[in-house]
Amino acid sequence: MGTDLHELLRSLRVWDPEVTALPAFDPATAPATPLDLFTSWFAEAVAAGQTEPHTMSLATADAEGRPDVRTVMLHGADTDGWSFATHADSRKGGQLAARPYAALGFYWPALGRQVRVRGPVTAAPSEEGQADLHARSTGALAAALTGRQSRVLGSLEELAEVSQAAWERARREPAAPVPTWTLYRLRPDEVEFFQGDERRRHVRLVHRRTDQGWVQELLWP
């Protein structure tokens, strides 16, 4: 007998109080800039034991405007924007070339928190992308050297063969260049911080960029 998906979904709980402590969030005490609040919340997620808090959803759209989403890793966040990396000739690289605007989504269930970031995306200079790649692990370099991201794969055996060669090269040449590897930066127009509440009185604080700087607004949950 197969799994009953609907029964399984109904059996699940959100923010189980036995394992989740939802912190209070007073928007009146929030920093004036979203980067400062994001840095604070990120550190709190790490301290709370949130698994892989640096993973995020990246949403893009293709040339026809059809949306696409996947999970990627945050490479950094500073006054220049939130950064991530991929091959320029990958599916998301092509989508960003056609429509250089994206959205990021972080979810930290250990604290009942979400952060949403939207804005235009630009590619960093090639030397910055290569430096970012070579500062990462041997495995990251091997994966980048494997390349061919999003293309049709003939077999798992082919993947194993190409990957093994990439690992060997990554160990032999830790500074091996990967010309298509690109560091992207999303400069936010809008950043929303969501704090869950057990009575569903969720607190949503959005920062919007204006010509005069950041403004803050509360949103209905």
Side-chain angles (χ1 to χ4, degrees):
M1 184 176 180
T3 300
D4 188 321
L5 178 60
H6 296 289
E7 287 296 328
L8 184 58
L9 287 171
R10 283 192 288 268
S11 72
L12 300 176
R13 300 184 66 184
V14 177
W15 306 324
D16 187 335
E18 294 184 3
V19 296
T20 306
L22 298 178
F25 173 46
D26 181 2
T29 65
T33 66
L35 177 60
D36 288 338
L37 183 53
F38 178 84
T39 301
S40 175
W41 273 27
F42 186 86
E44 291 171 14
V46 173
Q50 177 62 59
T51 303
E52 299 181 352
H54 56 322
T55 57
M56 59 187 185
S57 297
L58 167 65
T60 56
D62 64 17
E64 287 73 41
R66 295 173 297 188
D68 208 347
V69 68
R70 75 289 288 164
T71 301
V72 299
M73 183 181 298
L74 176 70
H75 284 220
D78 54 29
T79 55
D80 292 327
W82 274 245
S83 59
F84 57 93
T86 189
H87 291 281
D89 59 354
S90 67
R91 178 178 296 176
K92 52 187 172 293
Q95 291 171 350
L96 288 169
R99 290 175 176 260
Y101 199 93
L104 308 175
F106 297 85
Y107 179 45
W108 301 319
L111 296 171
R113 286 176 171 172
Q114 299 180 54
V115 181
R116 301 169 59 212
V117 188
R118 296 197 303 167
V121 177
T122 57
S126 177
E127 57 270 21
E128 290 188 33
Q130 295 302 298
D132 172 79
L133 175 60
H134 296 134
R136 301 178 69 199
S137 66
T138 300
L141 176 58
L145 287 168
T146 300
R148 311 184 193 186
Q149 194 175 67
S150 304
R151 300 178 189 175
V152 175
L153 173 66
S155 68
L156 293 180
E157 290 74 19
E158 180 184 3
L159 171 61
E161 180 180 348
V162 174
S163 176
Q164 181 60 35
W167 272 90
E168 292 172 0
R169 185 182 177 194
R171 294 190 182 102
R172 187 174 65 250
E173 301 176 51
V178 184
T180 58
W181 188 257
T182 305
L183 183 68
Y184 292 93
R185 290 194 177 95
L186 187 156
R187 183 176 185 269
D189 291 331
E190 179 179 297
V191 184
E192 181 191 326
F193 296 87
F194 172 105
Q195 174 60 67
D197 177 84
E198 62 182 9
R199 301 192 68 180
R200 302 304 189 263
R201 298 169 183 170
H202 313 311
V203 179
R204 296 177 63 189
L205 175 68
V206 63
H207 292 70
R208 302 187 199 279
R209 189 190 296 274
T210 70
D211 292 339
Q212 291 73 43
W214 292 100
V215 297
Q216 297 180 353
E217 296 174 324
L218 292 173
L219 302 178
W220 279 87

